[in-house]
Amino acid sequence: MEALRIESTHKTPRVILDPENGIFEFSGRSIPEDSVGFYTPIFEWLDKYAQQPLPLTHVRFDLEYFNTSSSKNILEILKRLEAIHAAGHEVRVTWYYDEDDEDMEETGQDYQALLNLPIELSVKVQS
Amino acid sequence: MSMTYSYYKNMQLNNIIFVYQGEVTADLVSSILQMIENKLEGEGEDRKVKKRVFNVMVECLQNVYHHLDALPPTDPNNPVKDKTALLMIGREEKDYYIITGNHILNDRIPELKARLDRINRATKEELKQLYQEVLTGSGFSEKGTAGLGIIDIARKSGQKLGYDFHPVNDRYSFFSLEARVSRIPEK
């Protein structure tokens, strides 16, 4: 299975889904008007990965902003990861936020509350 | 030309830093967001405040963009042929405010008004719950928007949303929505 790599734009995040090392990353901002169009290929990729996942998958969310239609799509991604985790293939999610960004911290807490998946909230180290 | 000065004075008096009236397209929304983001960046606004203003602006502008689609353009009563709206951003001493205005079918007013009132009555905790309910609920609406926009605006604003429905004709009204974001960062 091939990796999925999408470069960031000023409206969409950088996405790396690396099936060899089990490392997934979403970073940047996600504010497209048509979020379904952006996220559909990612769902399709994850559905394929779910058929033969690695024993451990690390997922990093390092998002600066996202709009509400992206938030539904992010939930859909997390639900797919939750299913992989529930099937006995460990998935560890880290949700990064800037120290002073309570909104992003709170969004991470929202997802923690909604899912049966280990989501660790982590303050981003300032570069 | 004599109106120019009075427009200028009026905008200055109302602390308006940006105003747009006209057709709203996806490209236009992107350009406005980028422009205002640069402006906030350049003026050294607090990082947290800047993020919130940007967030609320994204939701307000995209909300208008998506909902304008819902107006039937072939209806002879429709006061606007294309997707025109009003977008306004102001900066006062204590708050930023974001105002949007667009036409709406009268039939849709009761439901929207009920939703806005419910959101304005909700406590911070209730808004969080409502957000989670809608997030996990009914899937996407016909326009691909999550129905979450206004709840998110209210959560990030932390203040009551202002709104008005101004009757235009038998079938349409002009809906305006105002969201405020405090410039004073909480500790």
Side-chain angles (χ1 to χ4, degrees):
Chain A
M1 165 165 209
E2 281 200 31
L4 180 68
R5 286 169 202 276
I6 304 170
E7 279 311 313
S8 67
T9 69
H10 66 278
K11 277 188 170 181
T12 53
R14 182 163 87 130
V15 180
I16 298 170
L17 304 174
D18 172 1
E20 301 249 315
N21 301 302
I23 293 173
F24 298 176
E25 185 191 309
F26 300 86
S27 59
R29 52 174 67 181
S30 182
I31 54 167
E33 285 86 23
D34 175 21
S35 57
V36 179
F38 179 80
Y39 283 98
T40 301
I42 296 167
F43 298 151
E44 286 167 358
W45 193 97
L46 286 172
D47 289 340
K48 251 193 235 166
Y49 179 76
Q51 291 166 15
Q52 274 183 309
L54 293 183
L56 174 62
T57 308
H58 280 282
V59 188
R60 178 189 170 97
F61 282 92
D62 183 356
L63 296 167
E64 184 193 359
Y65 299 115
F66 53 88
N67 61 0
T68 48
S69 79
S70 297
S71 66
K72 275 225 159 179
N73 287 289
I74 292 166
L75 180 67
E76 286 308 313
I77 290 172
L78 291 168
K79 277 188 182 165
R80 280 166 165 83
L81 298 172
E82 183 186 39
I84 294 171
H85 189 72
H89 314 278
E90 196 179 347
V91 178
R92 280 191 216 151
V93 178
T94 313
W95 183 271
Y96 289 92
Y97 62 94
D98 280 327
E99 195 175 5
D100 59 356
D101 191 349
E102 285 157 30
D103 294 331
M104 193 53 81
E105 183 184 5
E106 205 167 335
T107 315
Q109 290 167 353
D110 285 343
Y111 287 125
Q112 271 181 333
L114 293 170
L115 293 149
N116 219 333
L117 181 70
I119 301 176
E120 188 199 339
L121 300 187
S122 177
V123 175
K124 210 174 350 181
V125 180
Q126 296 293 328
S127 50
Chain B
M1 288 301 288
S2 59
M3 289 301 288
T4 316
Y5 185 67
S6 78
Y7 286 140
Y8 171 76
K9 280 314 271 184
N10 231 317
M11 282 180 69
Q12 204 182 38
L13 203 65
N14 291 296
N15 304 293
I16 297 166
I17 58 171
F18 176 84
V19 63
Y20 174 83
Q21 185 278 125
E23 191 175 355
V24 176
T25 62
D27 280 348
L28 179 96
V29 169
S30 303
S31 309
I32 295 174
L33 289 174
Q34 225 166 346
M35 193 180 78
I36 301 294
E37 193 184 17
N38 288 342
K39 195 171 163 65
L40 294 173
E41 199 80 51
E43 289 173 2
E45 193 62 71
D46 178 84
R47 196 159 70 125
K48 201 163 136 185
V49 172
K50 202 179 69 189
K51 263 194 166 176
R52 273 208 179 135
V53 172
F54 188 74
N55 251 307
V56 170
M57 213 167 54
V58 168
E59 291 306 323
C60 287
L61 268 51
Q62 291 188 344
N63 211 22
V64 169
Y65 170 74
H66 285 295
H67 290 288
L68 277 174
D69 258 354
L71 290 186
T74 51
D75 181 348
N77 286 315
N78 187 341
V80 281
K81 279 190 204 70
D82 37 38
K83 301 187 185 183
T84 60
L86 177 75
L87 310 170
M88 216 155 86
I89 296 159
R91 183 180 51 210
E92 297 172 347
E93 196 187 330
K94 289 186 180 153
D95 287 334
Y96 276 91
Y97 64 84
I98 294 125
I99 294 177
T100 60
N102 58 274
H103 288 88
I104 178 176
L105 282 164
N106 289 337
D107 306 349
R108 292 180 53 219
I109 294 176
E111 196 200 322
L112 180 56
K113 189 176 180 312
R115 198 194 310 174
L116 287 162
D117 288 340
R118 184 178 173 197
I119 288 169
N120 273 343
R121 272 196 312 268
T123 61
K124 195 168 182 267
E125 198 47 43
E126 286 166 347
L127 279 177
K128 187 187 175 87
Q129 265 174 31
L130 194 60
Y131 181 89
Q132 292 186 358
E133 273 168 36
V134 178
L135 183 65
T136 50
S138 54
F140 287 96
S141 74
E142 72 279 11
K143 290 288 156 213
T145 54
L148 278 175
I150 296 181
I151 304 171
D152 191 60
I153 293 167
R155 275 182 96 182
K156 302 250 160 69
S157 156
Q159 303 184 39
K160 303 279 173 237
L161 304 172
Y163 68 83
D164 179 58
F165 296 98
H166 183 87
V168 174
N169 63 29
D170 287 352
R171 281 177 50 82
Y172 291 89
S173 293
F174 192 75
F175 166 57
S176 34
L177 181 71
E178 181 193 69
R180 295 187 156 261
V181 176
S182 171
R183 292 181 70 190
I184 302 150
E186 324 138 24
K187 286 281 164 256

